[in-house]
Amino acid sequence: MATVNNNPETTSQPKIRKGRVAIYVLALFILILAAVFAYNYSFIKGQLGIGTAYGARVACSCHYVGGRDLTDCEKDFEPGMEVIGLSLDDEKRRVTASVPLLASATAEFREGWGCVILTGAEAD
């Protein structure tokens, strides 16, 4: 005699695979991270503006006043400034510090004044 399984708990119910759950959790984490970044964007952009201006000024003084190589000047940066990149324009005696797509600042060496931060119009 054949047995009939009438138990609704053991009938074919959709099973969620562990891999699919992991993808959903990862997607939710990325979404939350993007929301936190979007919420704090103006604060982050402001801090990066301050950091790039500081980096440009310090690197300019280090290179043109101190006579050190630009890569050696990065040692003078504060912890956390590793994302800031430096570029040198020896012809105009300028150092530009930047974080791609977010912030940039330029400092220029002026005889008798030292290194000064340039405004957007002056830097162009």
Side-chain angles (χ1 to χ4, degrees), residues 3-11:
T3 59
V4 177
N5 187 0
N6 290 332
N7 188 352
E9 293 177 6
T10 59
T11 58

Side-chain angles (χ1 to χ4, degrees), residues 57-80:
R57 168 67 173 70
V58 167
C60 178
S61 295
C62 172
H63 183 71
Y64 290 110
V65 177
R68 293 167 45 199
D69 188 45
L70 198 61
T71 56
D72 188 46
C73 294
E74 289 179 353
K75 295 177 186 174
D76 296 342
F77 283 4
E78 296 294 322

Side-chain angles (χ1 to χ4, degrees), residues 6 9 14 22 27-30 47-48 59 63 65-66 79 100 102 107 117:
N6 290 332
E9 293 177 6
L28 181 63
F29 176 74
I30 290 171
Q47 292 297 314
L48 288 175
H63 183 71
V65 177
L102 293 174
I117 300 293

Side-chain angles (χ1 to χ4, degrees), residues 12-68:
S12 62
Q13 295 177 350
K15 294 183 180 181
I16 300 175
R17 291 191 210 141
K18 289 181 183 179
R20 186 172 279 183
V21 170
I23 290 172
Y24 289 145
V25 169
L26 181 63
L28 181 63
F29 176 74
I30 290 171
L31 184 65
I32 291 171
L33 192 64
V36 168
F37 180 78
Y39 181 75
N40 292 311
Y41 179 73
S42 62
F43 174 76
I44 293 168
K45 189 155 174 77
Q47 292 297 314
L48 288 175
I50 293 168
T52 55
Y54 173 81
R57 168 67 173 70
V58 167
C60 178
S61 295
C62 172
H63 183 71
Y64 290 110
V65 177
R68 293 167 45 199

Side-chain angles (χ1 to χ4, degrees), residues 91-111:
E91 184 179 311
K92 295 181 181 179
R93 300 178 88 177
R94 292 180 178 178
V95 174
T96 300
S98 63
V99 176
L101 304 174
L102 293 174
S104 178
T106 302
E108 179 180 76
F109 178 74
R110 295 181 181 170
E111 201 62 49

